[in-house]
Amino acid sequence: MKMLTQELKDRADQLGFIDVMDNNPTDLKAEITRLKEEKNAVFLAHYYQDAEIQDLADFVGDSLALAQKAADTDADIILFAGVHFMAETAKIINPNKKVILPDFKAGCSLAEAAPAEEFGDFVKKHPDHTVVTYINSSAEVKAYTDITVTSTNALKIINSLPEDEKIIFAPDRNLGKYIMKETGRDMLLWDGACVVHEAFALEKILDLHKEYPHAKIIAHPESEMPLLKVASFVGSTAALLKYVQNDEADAYIVATEAGILHKMREAVPHKNLIPAPSKEDNTCACSECHFMKMNTLEKVYNCLQYEYPEVDVPEDIRLKAIGSIERMFELS
């Protein structure tokens, strides 16, 4: 391991990442691969990462698949190219492994929407409710949670609970509303949302659909209900990828973070995949997660070189949070 001086550590703690590249390697990808093998590290990446990171990772997936992969790995180090709550989840599952994140400040608007102390007070006011929390939440919030869910398994898990069971669902109100609509359940919703999935402009999407009338609109359930109502298919990131592979249409307007288009285009190069436009006019004409894009190849290299920034979860929090994740695995 490259020596992590106190000065370098202090600077990384301030910035969120290590910004010094001592060796200046000419081939970052080759060096990352070498370091990964040398250190027995597994490189996990979310679908919303930049294409060059996805291509280099050992495994690319959505939140559920990444959690399952983290649970199964025999690597000594888990290098997580995603956002903070994902790396935290990996650490909760693997307390004896080193979990590192290229940029420690890669957060999540949903996780930030549920401050742990406020959420804990909310839960205490409803002691007769089962607490179901979306995986996009902090370890501290998971410590108040009975069952963690992802967009892949949320419907199945909610349907598995007794019909008369009172449920708190947090932190995503849009996913919560979608689950209520699909299951007929009445849940008490925490008022949080994903800025990426609320950024889609329905009017622009409908105008785009007029240009491509044969294109199917497909959307992630974190999106707002008016968009979900016009979508031909609603599903998790992994489900959207599977849908374009198995469906017979030749064009899709894709309403989720634009990073998924990389794997979609690899899977169905003959199909027309159109990113759904956001409310804000931008260069990509799509909705991107700023936090996901904070990770870069340079940060990945330095993170693996110095094995820092490292994600840690206090043991008392981890022990309270692990049960909700294990329950998710059982019900999935």
Side-chain angles (χ1 to χ4, degrees):
M1 180 175 70
K2 197 78 173 177
M3 181 61 66
L4 182 67
T5 65
Q6 189 61 48
E7 181 182 2
L8 193 59
K9 181 179 181 297
D10 290 344
R11 181 169 173 80
D13 289 343
Q14 181 181 14
L15 294 174
F17 60 92
I18 292 176
D19 66 337
V20 175
M21 192 171 293
D22 291 337
N23 298 334
N24 292 317
T26 55
D27 191 340
L28 271 178
K29 294 180 180 179
E31 278 300 291
I32 291 168
T33 299
R34 181 187 68 79
L35 285 170
K36 188 182 59 165
E37 293 173 355
E38 178 184 295
K39 294 170 179 279
N40 188 29
V42 63
F43 185 7
L44 307 181
H46 193 273
Y47 285 125
Y48 296 166
Q49 293 295 294
D50 282 334
E52 60 183 4
I53 289 178
Q54 292 189 45
D55 289 344
L56 197 57
D58 295 309
F59 181 80
V60 181
D62 64 358
S63 295
L64 176 61
L66 289 169
Q68 291 170 328
K69 199 70 177 178
D72 290 340
T73 185
D74 58 1
D76 296 317
I77 297 173
I78 299 173
L79 170 59
F80 217 119
V83 292
H84 195 270
F85 79 81
M86 296 177 179
E88 265 192 343
T89 302
K91 185 63 178 180
I92 291 168
I93 299 167
N94 297 282
N96 298 320
K97 296 184 185 298
K98 181 174 283 190
V99 179
I100 52 178
L101 184 67
D103 194 321
F104 202 78
K105 294 185 179 180
C108 170
S109 59
L110 269 172
E112 291 173 1
E117 188 173 344
E118 292 178 27
F119 186 71
D121 290 341
F122 180 75
V123 169
K124 289 173 186 176
K125 290 176 182 176
H126 304 91
D128 57 342
H129 284 61
T130 295
V131 183
V132 179
T133 303
Y134 195 26
I135 199 168
N136 298 43
S137 57
S138 68
E140 290 80 6
V141 165
K142 288 184 177 71
Y144 291 109
T145 299
D146 297 303
I147 309 170
T148 294
V149 299
T150 71
S151 53
T152 297
N153 59 28
L155 290 176
K156 179 180 180 181
I157 288 176
I158 294 297
N159 275 325
S160 73
L161 302 178
E163 291 185 8
D164 60 348
E165 191 158 349
K166 294 180 180 179
I167 299 169
I168 289 173
F169 186 85
D172 191 337
R173 62 174 178 265
N174 292 320
L175 178 58
K177 290 175 183 176
Y178 172 73
I179 294 169
M180 288 168 65
K181 174 180 171 291
E182 292 297 307
T183 65
R185 306 296 290 268
D186 184 23
M187 303 190 299
L188 186 57
L189 303 181
W190 182 266
D191 191 21
C194 170
V195 294
V196 174
H197 290 97
E198 282 206 329
F200 292 114
L202 180 59
E203 187 174 338
K204 288 183 181 180
I205 291 173
L206 294 177
D207 287 342
L208 186 62
H209 193 251
K210 291 176 183 176
E211 293 182 44
Y212 301 93
H214 300 297
K216 288 186 176 180
I217 298 171
I218 60 175
H220 193 283
E222 288 178 29
S223 303
E224 294 176 301
M225 190 57 68
L227 171 54
L228 300 184
K229 286 181 178 178
V230 301
S232 296
F233 178 76
V234 177
S236 67
T237 315
L240 295 176
L241 175 58
K242 186 176 181 180
Y243 183 77
V244 300
Q245 291 175 278
N246 296 332
D247 187 64
E248 294 181 356
D250 60 5
Y252 303 88
I253 297 171
V254 183
T256 192
E257 211 275 355
I260 188 60
L261 293 172
H262 176 61
K263 286 298 181 187
M264 283 185 173
R265 286 169 178 152
E266 284 186 343
V268 288
H270 56 290
K271 294 190 177 186
N272 187 14
L273 302 167
I274 309 158
S278 65
K279 296 169 187 173
E280 179 185 354
D281 293 325
N282 55 38
T283 54
C284 74
C286 65
S287 187
E288 288 190 326
C289 177
H290 162 71
F291 291 120
M292 285 285 187
K293 301 310 193 257
M294 288 171 71
N295 297 310
T296 64
L297 276 186
E298 289 79 8
K299 291 177 183 177
V300 168
Y301 170 75
N302 279 335
C303 178
L304 193 51
Q305 177 90 293
Y306 290 93
E307 299 179 17
Y308 199 80
E310 183 177 357
V311 175
D312 193 25
V313 178
E315 186 64 3
D316 60 330
I317 297 296
R318 191 193 74 82
L319 290 174
K320 292 176 182 175
I322 185 67
S324 70
I325 298 170
E326 290 175 340
R327 187 73 176 132
M328 174 181 73
F329 289 151
E330 290 171 12
L331 295 174
S332 293

